[in-house]
Amino acid sequence: MSFENDFAYTATQFEVVLGVFTLTAAVFAAVLVYSLATAGSIAPRYRLTSYLTGVVMVSAFFELGLLALRWNNAFSWDGSLYVQVGDLFSNGFRYMNWSIDVPVLLTQLLIVAGITGAAFRKRWASFVVAGLAMIWTGYIGQFDEIQGGASFWIWGAISTVFYIWLLYVAWQTIRDARANAPTPTIERLFSAVWILFIVSWTIYPLAYLMPQISATVEGVVARNLIYSFADIASKAVYGILLAVIAQKLSAVRGYQPAIEAEEAFAEQTG
Ligand code: RET
């Protein structure tokens, strides 16, 4: 059971969490429109990244919408506090959503980094295996998050081993992308991808630990806010950043719609 169900919330705490869930879902809907609308200015060899952002946005939109409903149905106002009644709130849904989004986000990285052929297949396989193993071992561990017993720590540790493997392959990929970057700006943007990646992804294991760091109402509220921060950074901001890089790469390689889009942007922003 998620530790969210262990507490009663003030009206403010309850609403802040619900509001942030709703905001996060709205951000995903907005970025869905953005990524589909800008796909045409990206050369065909990179364009899949825009559609994959679309996939991530749809799946994450539903997940956050569902979490908002679960949160709303799990607690009821008793005149002074929101207390647990009815459905249990569950963070397990997040893990199901990651099972789709993690492999897709990593595939986008390979596409924009320009990895092809045997190297693509090998890294893709490593990403999918490491990513799913990381998520599903963590999923088992999180059922024990309130007790914080052996299952929580052992599965969490196994999951972390897979995470380190995944990070290593991501680092290799970004290193290659930087080495092959045709302009210094694109090279810098790939460095930004790495920073965004490492910061936003590493928040998730911290959120996993939260019931052990602070088993309080504030801990619950903080955990759900940082989950949303990480979700927006690792899915939406990341998707936009990859689209920007893909458009720049397309322009450098002479793709006319990308060149025109870059020119229009330069004119507008002076
Ligand atoms: C778990 C369990 C504890 C140990 C580790 C974890 C890592 C989770 C990560 C999740 C990333 C999710 C993303 C979702 C985007 O849609 C499973 C919490 C290391 C890194 C990026």
Side-chain angles (χ1 to χ4, degrees):
M1 183 172 90
S2 295
F3 89 139
E4 278 77 358
N5 300 298
D6 259 2
F7 300 96
Y9 303 90
T10 65
T12 308
Q13 289 162 340
F14 176 85
E15 273 187 32
V16 166
V17 172
L18 188 58
V20 169
F21 286 165
T22 318
L23 169 71
T24 310
V27 169
F28 294 152
V31 175
L32 171 65
V33 174
Y34 166 88
S35 61
L36 297 183
T38 54
S41 64
I42 294 175
R45 69 177 284 192
Y46 303 112
R47 193 174 296 158
L48 190 56
T49 188
S50 297
Y51 298 138
L52 292 179
T53 294
V55 170
V56 170
M57 292 301 105
V58 169
S59 94
F61 176 83
F62 277 107
E63 180 235 348
L64 263 295
L66 184 69
L67 278 182
L69 289 177
R70 287 295 280 213
W71 179 261
N72 202 39
N73 294 339
F75 305 100
S76 178
W77 183 245
D78 76 352
S80 54
L81 287 174
Y82 275 96
V83 294
Q84 217 297 319
V85 285
D87 296 350
L88 289 179
F89 179 79
S90 169
N91 276 304
F93 294 112
R94 295 186 184 275
Y95 290 68
M96 296 302 116
N97 166 258
W98 303 342
S99 303
I100 299 173
D101 289 357
V102 162
V104 174
L105 293 169
L106 295 166
T107 306
Q108 288 180 268
L109 183 64
L110 292 173
I111 292 168
V112 179
I115 311 290
T116 54
F120 179 94
R121 289 196 296 276
K122 188 164 169 270
R123 287 194 195 168
W124 189 81
S126 304
F127 274 154
V128 173
V129 171
L132 293 180
M134 170 189 87
I135 295 162
W136 294 342
T137 51
Y139 181 67
I140 302 172
Q142 59 91 36
F143 284 112
D144 194 30
E145 70 174 23
I146 294 180
Q147 252 67 47
S151 168
F152 177 82
W153 293 105
I154 292 169
W155 288 112
I158 297 171
S159 172
T160 304
V161 173
F162 287 113
Y163 180 46
I164 291 167
W165 176 24
L166 183 159
L167 277 184
Y168 175 68
V169 182
W171 175 79
Q172 280 183 319
T173 303
I174 291 175
R175 183 200 57 195
D176 294 350
R178 293 189 54 201
N180 298 329
T183 69
T185 308
I186 295 175
E187 192 183 340
R188 271 199 304 277
L189 287 171
F190 275 117
S191 305
V193 172
W194 176 239
I195 293 167
L196 176 67
F197 192 98
I198 192 115
V199 171
S200 62
W201 284 53
T202 303
I203 291 174
Y204 293 92
L206 296 177
Y208 177 93
L209 287 174
M210 202 64 184
Q212 299 304 314
I213 298 172
S214 173
T216 61
V217 179
E218 289 75 22
V220 169
V221 176
R223 168 154 90 169
N224 285 286
L225 299 193
I226 65 172
Y227 261 140
S228 272
F229 175 82
D231 276 347
I232 291 173
S234 71
K235 303 185 227 244
V237 177
Y238 174 85
I240 293 171
L241 183 55
L242 288 185
V244 168
I245 297 177
Q247 186 181 294
K248 288 197 186 299
L249 285 167
S250 305
V252 172
R253 304 220 142 82
Y255 186 67
Q256 199 56 35
I259 296 171
E260 283 169 28
E262 295 267 287
E263 282 171 0
F265 183 74
E267 264 171 42
Q268 247 150 21
T269 56

